[in-house]
Amino acid sequence: MSDTPSSPSPARDPSGSLLGKTTSYRATYAPELLYPISRTPKREEIGLSAERIAAGRLPFMGADLWTAYELSWLTPRGKPQVAIATITVPCDSPCIIESKSFKLYLNSFNMTRVESPERLREMLVHDLSAAAGARVGVRLVLPEAFDAQPIHELSGVLLDRMDIDCDRYGPPAPELLTAAFDEQPVTETLTSHLLKSNCLVTGQPDWGSVQISYTGPQIDQEGLLRYLISFREHDEFHEQCVERIFTDILERCQPVRLQVYARYTRRGGLDISPWRTSHPATLPANVRTARQ
């Protein structure tokens, strides 16, 4: 089996996914459970044309970092095995993978005999790449390395220290973003643990921490925190929220360099941490925070 998908799975509408629906779990290998959703419609909402998207002219680079904590399979002799999987989906892939379908797919390995962890990794790379429409990276952390998995908070100046009045909880309010265009540019990193939005399909709350690193006119911190809080009743997938934050800051505050990295708490044994950057940069460490 080749690691590179020959024909990507067709993208589907979010409303047709299994989110919010009673589902029977499959315990044997079922890659057809993966449900790809096109990135294009939501990117068009933030001002990126379909032509620009198709040409690869995005204002950002980056990836979606997934961590799967509930991965298990059988050896050829039937003994269960466990691992943690870290998955890297490039942001220029045509599709995201809907999270419940991802969970169901991973659970389909529960009673599947696989000859080795490396063979399992190859199967994951092949199937997830086919769903996303681009090469996906997979790393397995086996039990002997579990104690080396650190917990570390996002670095930066904590916006949440400010005692501010808030009254905007949705839709997102980019007009709250301002910057000191008449002063010298700065380089700084700002963080908040108050990012919260809702699942686009089910309305379930999604909780996250966000780190914003930039060089440019100094961003007004109170306005930025109010802006992040304005996502509180907004319905959108994690990846889409981060791209909206990135493009709103880029447009309103005009930094010359910008990175936005959000780490969301896990659900169903999976967490998603989207990262977007305006310039080539090293992928951030996929390190758990306390809430993950």
Side-chain angles (χ1 to χ4, degrees):
M1 182 184 294
S2 170
D3 281 352
T4 304
S6 55
S7 54
S9 302
R12 297 177 239 179
D13 186 89
S15 62
S17 76
L18 293 172
L19 279 171
K21 301 172 185 175
T22 302
T23 308
S24 297
Y25 281 78
R26 299 267 295 277
T28 54
Y29 179 55
E32 67 274 10
L33 291 172
L34 290 168
Y35 194 95
I37 298 173
S38 173
R39 296 185 190 267
T40 297
K42 280 293 179 177
R43 286 179 172 173
E44 289 181 315
E45 284 187 16
I46 58 175
L48 304 177
S49 68
E51 294 76 17
R52 182 177 178 182
I53 296 168
R57 292 184 289 106
L58 299 173
F60 46 71
M61 299 169 271
D64 305 322
L65 310 179
W66 294 69
T67 309
Y69 297 93
E70 299 176 5
L71 177 60
S72 185
W73 68 101
L74 303 180
T75 67
R77 298 176 62 187
K79 180 184 176 183
Q81 303 289 288
V82 296
I84 298 171
T86 59
I87 299 104
T88 304
V89 181
C91 76
D92 57 0
S93 64
C95 297
I96 63 173
I97 302 171
E98 186 273 304
S99 60
K100 186 171 182 179
S101 79
F102 204 147
K103 175 185 177 181
L104 293 171
Y105 162 73
L106 292 174
N107 274 276
S108 79
F109 285 96
N110 289 350
M111 298 301 294
T112 300
R113 298 185 184 226
V114 183
E115 62 192 61
S116 67
E118 178 55 28
R119 177 58 183 147
L120 175 66
R121 192 196 69 82
E122 291 172 356
M123 296 169 73
L124 292 170
V125 169
H126 179 273
D127 298 339
L128 298 172
S129 297
R135 171 76 181 203
V136 167
V138 176
R139 182 174 70 92
L140 297 184
V141 181
L142 300 177
E144 54 266 29
F146 282 177
D147 64 355
Q149 301 304 298
I151 294 179
H152 184 73
E153 295 305 313
L154 297 175
S155 62
V157 177
L158 186 63
L159 296 172
D160 309 345
R161 73 190 190 283
M162 297 182 290
D163 185 16
I164 60 173
D165 294 325
C166 300
D167 58 6
R168 304 285 293 275
Y169 306 111
E175 63 272 16
L176 295 172
L177 295 168
T178 60
F181 296 108
D182 56 349
E183 298 179 8
Q184 288 296 311
V186 300
T187 296
E188 63 180 357
T189 297
L190 308 171
T191 62
S192 174
H193 301 301
L194 302 184
L195 180 61
K196 183 264 181 188
S197 53
N198 299 321
C199 172
L200 179 64
V201 176
T202 67
Q204 289 180 294
D206 294 325
W207 305 94
S209 299
V210 62
Q211 179 187 67
I212 296 161
S213 303
Y214 74 97
T215 296
Q218 186 162 37
I219 297 173
D220 177 74
Q221 293 185 10
E222 289 192 7
L224 177 58
L225 182 57
R226 290 191 178 97
Y227 165 73
L228 294 173
I229 290 170
S230 75
F231 279 78
R232 195 166 182 83
E233 290 300 313
H234 180 60
D235 298 338
E236 210 162 37
F237 291 139
H238 303 359
E239 302 94 330
Q240 298 160 351
C241 286
V242 169
E243 292 185 0
R244 187 178 295 276
I245 292 169
F246 184 97
T247 55
D248 283 347
I249 293 175
L250 194 66
E251 178 181 353
R252 296 278 176 163
C253 302
Q254 300 176 28
V256 294
R257 296 169 73 90
L258 175 64
Q259 292 189 54
V260 178
Y261 181 35
R263 295 201 63 91
Y264 283 87
T265 59
R266 78 179 78 164
R267 181 184 297 155
L270 286 168
D271 65 46
I272 312 170
S273 299
W275 170 66
R276 301 293 182 267
T277 177
S278 62
H279 53 281
T282 302
L283 197 72
N286 193 10
V287 176
R288 285 177 55 196
T289 64
R291 292 197 296 166
Q292 289 179 303

